[in-house]
Amino acid sequence: MSKMASNIKASFVVVFVFMLTLNAFIGGIDAAGECGKTPIRSAAASLSPCLSAAGNAGAKVPPTCCTKVSALIKSAPKCLCAVLLSPLAKQAGIKAAIAITIPKRCNIRNRPVGKKCGRYTVP
């Protein structure tokens, strides 16, 4: 197996395990949480293109990630924070201090600058 195929397979496994774990952890909190009518697991799944950028400040943020984050900020900004701060997100390699910078790295104009997200502040 080539190194690229191996990396793709490993990335898929990480995303898949993250989503399964997140689903198991928050499966019962969907109805009235920070994500409103959107189940938090669906919100988390929609952010899967952001995985590499959420764990590495030097990684380029994929355009699909920026689109998803922008849409989530418009519809449910608290939901983004809830997903980023979940313990299982940390287990998946998401570093909240880095992930919180994604809206700025995407040049999202309507990001909630100065808004607190746990102990982090949106830049």
Side-chain angles (χ1 to χ4, degrees):
M1 186 181 322
S2 74
K3 185 174 181 176
M4 181 182 235
S6 180
N7 286 342
I8 291 171
K9 184 178 178 183
S11 295
F12 176 78
V13 169
V14 168
V15 170
F16 182 73
V17 170
F18 171 70
M19 297 316 306
L20 282 178
T21 308
L22 189 61
N23 185 32
F25 177 72
I26 57 179
I29 328 176
D30 295 327
E34 287 86 353
C35 296
K37 294 179 182 179
T38 303
I40 196 167
R41 64 179 167 257
S42 296
S46 75
L47 296 176
S48 62
C50 303
L51 253 159
S52 61
N56 178 353
K60 183 177 178 181
V61 183
T64 53
C65 170
C66 294
T67 300
K68 300 290 185 177
V69 169
S70 182
L72 196 55
I73 286 173
K74 286 179 187 173
S75 65
K78 290 181 181 179
C79 181
L80 178 62
C81 188
V83 171
L84 297 181
L85 294 178
S86 72
L88 295 169
K90 184 177 179 181
Q91 288 176 359
I94 293 172
K95 297 174 182 154
I98 295 172
I100 199 73
T101 67
I102 289 175
K104 182 176 182 177
R105 291 162 55 198
C106 288
N107 295 315
I108 296 173
R109 292 183 187 191
N110 68 328
R111 70 183 186 272
V113 176
K115 181 166 178 28
K116 287 295 215 184
C117 181
R119 65 181 183 174
Y120 306 101
T121 302
V122 177

